[in-house]
Amino acid sequence: TSTPVKVAVTGAAGQIGYSLLFRIASGALFGKDTPVELRLLEITPALKALEGVVMELDDCAFPTLAGVQIGDDANTIFDGVNHALLVGARPRGPGMERGDLLEANGGIFAPQGKALNEVAADDIRVTVTGNPANTNALIAMSNAPDIPKERFSALTRLDHNRAISQLAAKLGVPVTEIKKMTIWGNHSATQYPDLFHAEVGGKNAAEAVGDQDWLENTFIPTVAKRGAAIIEARGASSAASAASATIDHARDWALGSAKDDWVSMAVPSDGSYGVPEGIISSFPVTTSGGDWTIVQGLEIDDFSRGKIDASVAELSEERDAVKGLGLI
Ligand code: NAX
């Protein structure tokens, strides 16, 4: 057997963690032949609950699970890790302003970025799920100067998967028929799920839908507000689907995206599609050998341009805010 891949998960005692850890341990991330060692980071008061989760992991007797270490010190937990899934974050409390939210998360993601910089493995890849995901990833990246910037990403795969599911339902086709879905911009209500470059059974998705009103006034808001709809229905935010998307994201990044398809990932912009450098924004990307490449050459019409620009403007504001707070 090979050396175990070391995967760190933060916020491991939370809702997403409760789904994510069992998927990783069962081999959903790297396959059944790759042993995985879990490194679980929590805040001190949550360690007891995390011990309970580890008891359950033990009780699954997963053949792929080579070991579990838990703790509240990032420098210990991140030591030698190959993948870091940063899920734990500070949620927006009642009456909390955006600046307060960004500052509270800066207090989590700046030290975690520094710790990764010091102790992670040379091949570290970092995925941020905890909200505000794009800007939290920017904070972590900016605090890890020795790690190449392209090793930092934020999760928009849940939005991507939601968009595929909504489109498949609208057209009455299996999700496997849908390719080249794109989420542009921020993982927030301003995100832009793009049907103009998506394909259904090899045909253009926007044309297959043939209904601009549905696209604009049903599809886009349904995808963008799906998180709120789940809270409304379930009384708790999406967890299993967020865990599943985190697996999809990290797996495709490590093992490569499918031929003739692409995925959505929020990555540091290189200026492609007029998205300014210095923010982490969602793009269509292909992945291979642990690297991502932004898909080039897509034509962006005025409608899409306006939607992308609006979401990117929000990311630029968040970037300016965390810069003003001295977090990046
Ligand atoms: P929970 O509140 O259930 O769990 C979060 C856990 O993080 C808690 O156990 C907490 O103790 C821990 N934590 C807090 N600060 C920490 C720190 N400094 N180090 C380590 N652990 C820390 O939230 P959950 O439902 O699991 O959601 C986690 C995050 O994912 C939230 O920020 C949430 O907004 C975000 N989401 C992101 C999504 C995406 O698509 N990018 C979708 C789902 C989800 O909303």
Side-chain angles (χ1 to χ4, degrees):
T1 60
S2 43
T3 336
V5 180
K6 296 184 178 69
V7 181
V9 178
T10 71
Q15 290 202 87
I16 294 176
Y18 195 66
S19 180
L20 182 60
L21 302 182
F22 296 86
R23 298 281 307 279
I24 299 171
S26 71
L29 197 41
F30 302 115
K32 300 226 177 281
D33 298 329
T34 306
V36 171
E37 184 181 321
L38 284 172
R39 301 292 194 82
L40 309 180
L41 185 70
E42 258 296 351
I43 53 173
T44 318
L47 286 176
K48 181 154 186 282
L50 186 53
E51 281 171 22
V53 178
V54 175
M55 287 161 71
E56 287 204 74
L57 280 168
D58 290 344
D59 294 351
C60 292
F62 287 120
T64 38
L65 186 57
V68 185
Q69 194 182 331
I70 73 170
D72 56 8
D73 177 54
N75 283 69
T76 310
I77 293 299
F78 290 162
D79 188 33
V81 298
N82 309 104
H83 290 264
L85 308 178
L86 307 184
V87 177
R90 177 71 194 276
R92 190 188 289 252
M96 207 174 180
E97 300 292 333
R98 189 177 62 172
D100 302 333
L101 181 75
L102 293 171
E103 190 163 22
N105 278 291
I108 296 173
F109 288 86
Q112 289 184 0
K114 289 192 175 91
L116 287 166
N117 194 59
E118 273 182 41
V119 301
D122 285 345
D123 68 352
I124 179 69
R125 275 152 180 86
V126 184
T127 297
V128 177
T129 295
N131 282 321
N134 301 51
T135 298
N136 287 341
L138 180 66
I139 294 169
M141 181 183 87
S142 305
N143 283 276
D146 303 327
I147 300 176
K149 288 190 172 4
E150 63 271 16
R151 304 290 187 75
F152 287 84
S153 69
L155 188 77
T156 50
R157 185 62 174 266
L158 179 55
D159 310 299
H160 175 104
N161 289 345
R162 286 167 171 168
I164 288 176
S165 159
Q166 291 297 322
L167 178 62
K170 166 77 175 169
L171 297 174
V173 300
V175 290
T176 47
E177 288 288 299
I178 315 257
K179 308 276 185 230
K180 301 185 177 174
M181 183 59 73
T182 305
I183 303 294
W184 298 91
N186 200 1
H187 167 69
S188 77
T190 67
Q191 66 174 269
Y192 173 46
D194 175 2
L195 290 189
F196 294 98
H197 302 100
E199 292 177 1
V200 180
K203 298 202 186 73
N204 181 275
E207 282 167 27
V209 168
D211 182 350
Q212 180 72 16
D213 180 61
W214 180 82
L215 188 157
E216 266 183 59
N217 300 314
T218 302
F219 173 73
I220 294 175
T222 300
V223 173
K225 294 178 190 161
R226 186 72 164 177
I230 300 226
I231 292 172
E232 172 70 26
R234 201 173 88 88
S237 58
S238 36
S241 54
S244 193
T246 301
I247 298 263
D248 288 346
H249 172 114
R251 182 201 58 225
D252 287 349
W253 193 0
L255 305 182
S257 52
K259 205 171 153 286
D260 303 321
D261 200 0
W262 64 58
V263 295
S264 302
M265 283 174 75
V267 296
S269 180
D270 61 358
S272 292
Y273 299 102
V275 178
E277 285 183 59
I279 60 171
I280 293 189
S281 191
S282 187
F283 288 98
V285 303
T286 55
T287 55
S288 172
D291 297 321
W292 50 262
T293 308
I294 296 173
V295 174
Q296 295 296 331
L298 302 179
E299 281 203 31
I300 307 296
D301 68 8
D302 289 346
F303 176 79
S304 296
R305 185 77 264 161
K307 294 281 183 198
I308 295 170
D309 287 351
S311 195
V312 163
E314 181 184 54
L315 283 170
S316 296
E317 279 172 30
E318 290 182 16
R319 187 258 333 264
D320 292 347
V322 295
K323 201 171 224 170
L325 290 164
L327 295 169
I328 63 168

